[in-house]
Each structure stands twice: as C-alpha cells, then as structure tokens.
Amino acid sequence: MRGAETEEVPATGLEPALYLVATPIGNASDLTLRAIETLRGADVIACEDTRLTGRLLARHGIRNRLIPYHEHNATQARPAILERLRRGEAIALVSDAGTPLISDPGYKLVEEAIAAGLKVTAVPGPSAILTALQLSGLPSDRFMFAGFLPPRSAARRKAIGELADIPATLILFESPRRLADCLADLAAVLGDRPAAVARELTKLFEEVRRGTLGSLANQYAAEDPPKGEIVIVVGRGERSDPPEGPDLDALLQTALESGSVRDAARDVAAATGLPRRAVYMRALELSRGTR
Ligand code: SAM
C-alpha cells in the first residue's frame, strides 16, 4: 500500500512544471530558499554551463542531474526537454547568472511549453537590470531594458537613436572594453543626460559611478577598461513632443526668416527656456511646412 502511494507522488515532491529559477549574479549567497528547494527537487536541471552551475550547486550542498541548454544546442535540446515535461517531470531552467531568459536562453522553451499546454512557473531572484536600476539614483517608475547594443559604432548610434524618444530610464548591458565608446555614442545621440555605470554588482568590487553620459564617457576614456560586468543606466530625456502654441510658432517663424533651423531653435530655446531638442523638432516641421 505504502509502495503504491509512493508511486503516485512525484519522486521529487515538486509539481510537474518548467521552473525558471534565478541564480546569483555574483554573490553565491543570493540564492533563495525556494530556488534551493527547486534545484534540489527537480528531476533535472537544464543549464547553460554544467561546470559553472555544478559549482553553485556544490556550494549549497545540492546534488542533482544537469543537462546543457545553451544558445548553441537549444534547438536540438528543446524537444527532449518538452517531452520530459509532457511525461510529468519537474524541470528547472537556470542560466549562468541572474534571471533566465533575460539576455539568456529560455524564451523559446517557455514559448513552446506554453503552446503545448505545459505548466511554466518562476522562482524569482537576482537580476542585474533591477539591481543596477535600484542603485543608479535615476527614476525607477518607468524603465526600458534594451539589452546589449551593437558592437560597432555606426549600428550602435542607430540603435541609440531608436531609443532617444522613449520617455523612460534606459538600461543597457555592455562589455567593459566597449564601455567608453558606448558612453560616448550615448552622449552624442542622447545629449548629456544623467547616467550611472554599475559594475560587479553584489561582488567584492561592486562600484556604481554616477554622473552624466559625457562625464562618464570622459572618465572611462581616460582609464584602462574596467574589469568585470557592467550595466549602464541612462536617465530619461526631455519631453520630445513638440511644444505647441502660437507664441512658440510665431517666435520660430520670425527666427527662421533670418536664420537656419538650427540657429532659430537655439535662439528660441534660449529665449523661452523650452527644451532645445523639442524646439528644434518644431522648427524643422515649420521650415518643411509640415505643421
Ligand atoms: N540574465 C542575467 C540577469 O538577469 O541579470 C543577465 C545575463 S547577460 C548574458 C550578462 C550581462 O548582465 C553582463 O554582460 C552584464 O552586462 C550584466 N551583469 C550580469 N551580472 C552583473 C553584475 N554582477 N554586475 C553588473 N552587471 C552584470
């Protein structure tokens, strides 16, 4: 009788599901109690790097089976994981660090598991994005995470241009060796907005530098590339909607009669105290007759 009962209860005690388990972003103690229970109880743990995750498990006295699931094998590995879920297994998915799926593998697996009617649940925890935002000192009510920008400057500036009018704090990942160039491109396209560079979060040499894009670009350009992992946080820009009203238009029309769009925008922005970018956009519209 006992044996029959045992057979009906999943061996792990975990409900069958795909468990998205967040792991530390540096400090190995940042593993939640539920993450430990889940990693211990899952039938198997899918992870990016079995050696790295193996070390985290050993540190917490967790013994379990690991299977690789990373960007190079995901397409081949996915069907087998979905099949195990269909058979009623509890599968934990972790990435090398932080929250799975966030600039890390897992999205496709989640998408297909949901499409197949399989249960997906999350064990939340560390996230470099949220930790950097918390420490940046920049507005945290509305933010946009844009991942890694393109490595080459021309493509990067184009990508930054697409973010310019988003009225939210921007959060980016960047590699240490591209940090100074990336900050310079951000300053060139977005203007000298307030910003923060968060490095080695939760680790021994955690550092957050706060300033403006221009000042931070200059600081990092004058130093050797920093070591470690980096998140850039950029404050939102000025309102980019064109300010409206006959007074502004009248002032701009007059200024445009004797000067370029650029000069007119500069002079009128100075005279009215309105944001220069927005005045420039309005001047451009007026000069093109697209009001
Ligand atoms: N999934 C992870 C998360 O939720 O935080 C992010 C993984 S992404 C592949 C790795 C990038 O996250 C790094 O290049 C760096 O930009 C950022 N990052 C991760 N850990 C960090 C840390 N301790 N301090 C600063 N940035 C970190």
Side-chain angles (χ1 to χ4, degrees), residues 102-291:
I102 309 302
S103 289
D104 274 337
Y107 159 66
K108 277 271 171 202
L109 182 58
V110 169
E111 184 190 38
E112 290 183 24
I114 292 169
L118 298 162
K119 180 169 172 172
V120 181
T121 188
V123 181
S127 150
I129 299 167
L130 297 184
T131 310
L133 178 64
Q134 284 177 310
L135 298 180
S136 68
L138 294 166
S140 54
D141 56 330
R142 208 195 304 188
F143 61 91
M144 156 98 197
F145 170 60
F148 288 95
L149 293 176
R152 290 181 191 282
S153 185
R156 186 162 56 215
R157 285 189 179 216
K158 185 162 178 279
I160 297 168
E162 287 164 10
L163 302 172
D165 287 332
I166 296 172
T169 297
L170 302 175
I171 305 178
L172 305 160
F173 287 163
E174 191 47 281
S175 82
R177 85 201 136 78
R178 284 196 283 267
L179 177 64
D181 288 348
C182 181
L183 288 167
D185 282 345
L186 284 164
V189 180
L190 301 179
D192 205 16
R193 293 191 194 180
V197 173
R199 192 172 66 83
E200 294 291 82
L201 293 165
T202 76
K203 304 186 201 177
L204 189 60
F205 296 108
E206 175 177 289
E207 177 193 48
V208 183
R209 287 198 203 175
R210 304 175 185 90
T212 65
L213 285 171
S215 68
L216 290 166
N218 289 338
Q219 277 178 41
Y220 283 106
E223 301 170 11
D224 288 337
K227 292 196 166 45
E229 298 190 282
I230 283 163
V231 182
I232 301 174
V233 188
V234 184
R236 73 184 60 151
E238 298 163 334
R239 241 174 70 86
S240 59
D241 295 344
E244 285 171 10
D247 290 347
L248 174 67
D249 285 3
L251 287 169
L252 279 173
Q253 294 283 21
T254 310
L256 283 167
E257 280 166 20
S258 56
S260 66
V261 169
R262 199 186 152 109
D263 291 347
R266 185 200 55 215
D267 294 347
V268 172
T272 58
L274 289 166
R276 194 153 150 183
R277 180 179 161 79
V279 175
Y280 176 82
M281 298 308 289
R282 185 63 185 153
L284 208 56
E285 284 176 356
L286 290 173
S287 72
R288 289 177 180 155
T290 55
R291 24 187 129 167

